[in-house]
Amino acid sequence: MIRQPEFDPARRPSRWPDCGAFELDAYWRELRRAVLALEESQWSGSLRATLDEPGMVELIGPELCAAYRSLAKRKPPVHDDTREKRREVVHALLDQLRCEAFVVRKWGRARGSLWQRRPALETAVDGDDVIVQRLDQVTARRFWGLGFVHEDDLDASDELARRAVRRSVRRFARDLVDLADVLRRRPLPEVLLVPGHADRRFEQLMLDVLDEIDHHAEPARLAEDFCQKTDLRVRYPGLERVRGARVQVKATRLPRVHELRIADIRNRETLVILSPVTLAEFIDAQVHRRMEPLLDKAQLDAFWRCVQGEPTTIDELAPAIARIFDAALAQPTLDPRGPMAAVPEALRVVIRSFVRHEAFRSTAALRVHEASGLEFRHGRDGRLRTRRSDPAS
């Protein structure tokens, strides 16, 4: 077993964070301790002083420092229930951060240069099957507990680990800033603002599939998730939507239950709803030509070959699709691509075709809303609000 050295925050890194692939446990303990100290210093009014302590920037990084400096300009919550809710959510976000960047259940091998403009790495786990992946994909696989060490370069192994940390800490910092705005709405104590790792697995699987060929999707901000029913943002050439189309991900497999769970989404025609049910509806519409043909006969035939049970209705097809996802999620570390590799290629093509089509359709629906005299704007708490564009109306 490789000994994990203690992390020394007094070291001045050439590139943050100054830790290697096998120092992550020690570094995580120091990072978590620093974040909790910063959180507690908010209530005592000493946040700025804590941020100015020697070595703080080197320990938590520039994005997280900037997030806390932004929070230091605000008044801390005065209600005890709001303070307690913030503590709860921060701990949940820390758990999310740890699972995304610091937990390695299986080590794989990587080969290739990290220092090119658009690096592509040869990756493998267990056997000799080699999969070429972009650097952002290799980094994202840490969500599944897959870590990669470079076969020829120890510095490259450390850099792969650091990139995973930087990626996740950047999201953590962004969500901390959003949290202050979300808490202004005084959410009920029982409202879950941060789903657990197990509940986010299906969402991450869909994210991996959407990003397989090119990088199109990103996790939504905390405020968008809570206030706008948005799990992902997707961007495509020609979409003309700066922040990307909004995607709500649902694992629901029964149409009646699915309808109940999306019934409270306002203006739902302006976002993409990605679920086994909507995928089944998409296939049904393609087969019966109730929409423009996006899948050719060969692609449809390949899809039907990967679905078991010969389903003939949407009620039967949606659970059949969901069972494929269940089987994939049961084996997250067998392939360098994570569980996505266990989703048949034909189904991955269907998912990407559906989401791209829905991104453009939902954007067109948004433009219809805007043309009707309603303008959308984002409140500080992340809510998508509407107002009349004509002041006289």
Side-chain angles (χ1 to χ4, degrees):
M1 181 176 179
I2 299 176
R3 180 179 178 272
Q4 302 245 355
E6 289 299 314
F7 179 78
D8 180 6
R11 294 185 298 184
R12 294 197 61 84
S14 57
R15 190 169 187 183
W16 180 86
D18 186 21
C19 64
F22 301 106
E23 296 178 297
L24 292 180
D25 284 350
Y27 176 70
W28 163 248
R29 290 193 295 269
E30 295 298 327
L31 177 65
R32 184 179 186 276
R33 186 179 299 121
V35 168
L36 294 179
L38 288 164
E39 284 293 316
E40 289 305 313
S41 69
Q42 287 187 89
W43 319 127
S44 62
S46 58
L47 180 55
R48 286 188 176 87
T50 305
L51 280 168
D52 290 336
E53 289 181 1
M56 182 61 71
V57 176
E58 292 78 10
L59 174 58
I60 69 174
E63 287 95 351
L64 205 44
C65 269
Y68 275 108
R69 292 197 185 282
S70 174
L71 292 173
K73 298 175 183 177
R74 306 187 183 194
K75 294 182 179 179
V78 296
H79 300 282
D80 290 340
D81 57 343
T82 303
R83 291 188 177 192
E84 188 58 36
K85 189 66 177 178
R86 180 177 177 88
R87 289 190 177 98
E88 171 198 317
V89 176
V90 168
H91 277 83
L93 288 172
L94 283 168
D95 289 342
Q96 175 178 281
L97 172 60
R98 179 176 178 272
C99 289
E100 284 188 355
F102 295 95
V103 176
V104 177
R105 296 181 177 86
K106 180 181 286 189
W107 288 100
R109 309 183 307 279
R111 180 183 299 170
S113 174
L114 271 68
W115 321 114
Q116 299 173 350
R117 183 176 180 183
R118 299 183 68 178
L121 301 178
E122 297 178 351
T123 58
V125 294
D126 293 333
D128 296 326
D129 292 340
V130 174
I131 303 296
V132 177
Q133 301 189 81
R134 302 187 310 271
L135 185 54
D136 64 281
Q137 293 173 312
V138 174
T139 302
R141 302 302 177 245
R142 190 61 69 92
F143 177 93
W144 304 109
L146 281 170
F148 292 91
V149 291
H150 201 282
E151 289 185 338
D152 306 317
D153 188 343
L154 180 60
D155 289 340
S157 296
D158 292 343
E159 179 62 15
L160 284 173
R162 287 193 290 264
R163 283 178 182 260
V165 171
R166 286 197 292 271
R167 171 181 177 269
S168 296
V169 168
R170 188 176 299 116
R171 179 182 180 186
F172 176 72
R174 184 186 69 181
D175 286 346
L176 278 184
V177 174
D178 280 6
L179 179 59
D181 291 327
V182 169
L183 290 178
R184 293 174 64 240
R185 295 186 64 186
R186 304 284 300 279
L188 297 174
E190 63 270 19
V191 172
L192 184 66
L193 294 182
V194 183
H197 187 75
D199 295 329
R200 295 176 51 244
R201 283 155 47 89
F202 181 68
E203 179 183 316
Q204 183 65 37
L205 177 59
M206 295 298 100
L207 181 63
D208 289 348
V209 172
L210 294 173
D211 276 349
E212 179 181 5
I213 307 301
D214 290 298
H215 184 59
H216 292 298
E218 291 282 353
R221 301 176 67 105
L222 177 69
E224 292 177 320
D225 191 359
F226 175 63
C227 302
Q228 299 180 32
K229 304 289 187 181
T230 302
D231 297 314
L232 308 175
R233 287 276 187 172
V234 291
R235 297 176 177 85
Y236 298 98
L239 186 62
E240 295 183 357
R241 196 164 171 178
V242 175
R243 300 178 61 177
R246 298 162 53 207
V247 182
Q248 167 74 194
V249 179
K250 296 285 188 186
T252 317
R253 61 193 67 196
L254 299 177
R256 285 173 293 179
V257 177
H258 184 270
E259 184 60 32
L260 289 173
R261 292 186 176 175
I262 66 174
D264 63 339
I265 300 179
R266 295 181 58 191
N267 301 318
R268 67 187 188 195
E269 68 276 6
T270 64
L271 76 161
V272 180
I273 299 177
L274 174 57
S275 72
V277 173
T278 56
L279 290 172
E281 292 171 343
F282 173 67
I283 288 293
D284 186 69
Q286 287 289 295
V287 169
H288 295 97
R289 300 305 186 195
R290 290 196 299 271
M291 62 182 294
E292 62 178 299
L294 301 174
L295 302 172
D296 58 32
K297 184 179 184 301
Q299 290 172 322
L300 285 171
D301 289 345
F303 168 79
W304 289 115
R305 286 195 296 271
C306 75
V307 177
Q308 296 181 348
E310 298 184 358
T312 58
T313 67
I314 293 173
D315 283 359
E316 295 173 347
L317 180 55
I321 293 173
R323 286 192 291 272
I324 296 174
F325 296 142
D326 292 342
L329 289 170
Q331 43 187 351
T333 60
L334 293 183
D335 188 278
R337 294 166 292 180
M340 178 185 71
V343 177
E345 183 179 1
L347 179 51
R348 303 200 304 266
V349 169
V350 168
I351 293 168
R352 289 192 291 270
S353 297
F354 168 74
V355 171
R356 187 182 188 283
H357 172 267
E358 284 292 289
F360 281 89
R361 181 209 55 77
S362 63
T363 299
L366 179 62
R367 301 297 178 244
V368 169
H369 273 276
E370 293 171 339
S372 69
L374 290 175
E375 290 183 350
F376 291 93
R377 65 185 179 87
H378 291 86
R380 285 187 59 189
D381 59 4
R383 282 181 292 177
L384 192 65
R385 302 174 180 176
T386 59
R387 61 183 176 187
R388 289 285 177 186
S389 58
D390 182 3
S393 63

